[in-house]
Amino acid sequence: SQQGEEDPQALSIQEGENATMNCSYKTSINNLQWYRQNSGRGLVHLILIRSNEREKHSGRLRVTLDTSKKSSSLLITASRAADTASYFCAGPNLGGKLIFGQGTELSVKP
Amino acid sequence: GAVVSQHPSRVICKSGTSVKIECRSLDFQATTMFWYRQFPKQSLMLMATSNEGSKATYEQGVEKDKFLINHASLTLSTLTVTSAHPEDSSFYICSASPPGPGGGRHNEQFFGPGTRLTVL
């Protein structure tokens, strides 16, 4: 079963624009994580936001968490062609296992 | 940061053969590693949790006799796909968490680069 559901499933933007991806989850979590995956490669951890945090920044990344709505968003500002990848949210279930959302496929055109 | 490696990165085999995939934590000890499977354009699905020194725990619907997991040391877990068939063709990814507060279970996981298995 999926912990997170993401939208949009695919997003195509021009270089320099901002990209926003959303994630909704089902059960209570103590943190939510965002990962990036380039085509055919492993995952790279981007950022972790804890349940008592509402917003977190890392470079051009901004993550928000709304536990009342069980949702999170990932914003990539001033996107670059190199940001083209799939982005996944993931949260630990009650057993501590990391369960992934369906992912958003981001395409940044130069 | 913590590094996880996988070997091989790509394997092609004939139907009916067995394939072993290795997952290593290079600069930390991992009592727990996780194995995921990913089909094209889809998300990662957790297959099993590999526990050092004990049996792996499998997710519902994953055949334990089909996907054998051995976690013989604190830095190595192996996944063996036995009697592989074309439907087993997929991208297999392992991950591990360095030890930390709460045993690292809720902290970020570090992923291997994945193994692309193609069964002919």
Side-chain angles (χ1 to χ4, degrees):
Chain A
S1 62
Q2 298 291 337
Q3 172 68 291
E5 295 181 3
E6 295 173 71
D7 77 274
Q9 291 188 356
L11 179 62
S12 182
I13 59 174
Q14 292 293 134
E15 205 165 28
E17 295 180 340
N18 295 341
T20 300
M21 291 159 267
N22 303 297
C23 167
S24 60
Y25 55 92
K26 299 174 183 176
T27 62
S28 295
I29 55 172
N30 64 6
N31 70 71
L32 190 125
Q33 303 172 35
W34 285 88
Y35 288 83
R36 166 196 168 124
Q37 183 182 34
N38 287 74
S39 180
R41 308 289 290 274
L43 274 71
V44 175
H45 183 268
L46 295 176
I47 197 164
L48 180 154
I49 185 166
R50 301 193 186 282
S51 58
N52 60 354
E53 297 176 309
R54 292 295 168 259
E55 188 171 309
K56 201 164 183 178
H57 296 254
S58 176
R60 292 184 296 113
L61 305 180
R62 174 180 164 242
V63 168
T64 63
L65 181 64
D66 187 335
T67 52
S68 66
K69 295 181 180 178
K70 288 188 168 61
S71 68
S72 174
S73 68
L74 170 67
L75 168 68
I76 303 175
T77 60
S79 63
R80 305 166 183 168
D83 294 328
T84 295
S86 292
Y87 293 82
F88 295 93
C89 67
N93 66 7
L94 290 176
K97 300 170 187 175
L98 206 56
I99 307 298
F100 284 82
Q102 293 287 356
T104 294
E105 198 170 328
L106 173 66
S107 175
V108 182
K109 298 178 182 178
Chain B
V3 178
V4 176
S5 71
Q6 271 183 252
H7 178 80
S9 59
R10 186 180 296 266
V11 57
I12 301 173
C13 69
K14 293 182 179 180
S15 187
T17 61
S18 294
V19 175
K20 181 186 283 189
I21 302 170
E22 293 184 349
C23 177
R24 293 181 186 273
S25 56
L26 297 186
D27 50 4
F28 65 97
Q29 294 183 333
T31 55
T32 302
M33 292 183 175
F34 302 91
W35 287 97
Y36 296 82
R37 182 174 179 172
Q38 185 180 33
F39 290 108
K41 302 289 186 182
Q42 294 190 22
S43 185
L44 280 73
M45 295 298 294
L46 180 64
M47 298 175 66
T49 303
S50 173
N51 304 298
E52 189 269 334
S54 65
K55 292 182 180 179
T57 53
Y58 291 81
E59 296 301 301
Q60 192 173 11
V62 177
E63 301 175 58
K64 59 183 67 177
D65 295 330
K66 173 77 172 177
F67 299 99
L68 300 179
I69 291 174
N70 184 281
H71 196 146
S73 76
L74 287 171
T75 58
L76 173 64
S77 174
T78 60
L79 168 69
T80 301
V81 183
T82 62
S83 187
H85 288 94
E87 57 266 30
D88 298 322
S89 298
S90 189
F91 194 54
Y92 293 87
I93 308 176
C94 70
S95 72
S97 289
R105 295 177 75 192
H106 300 291
N107 294 341
E108 62 181 280
Q109 290 188 19
F110 292 88
F111 286 80
T115 297
R116 172 78 57 197
L117 171 63
T118 303
V119 185
L120 303 176

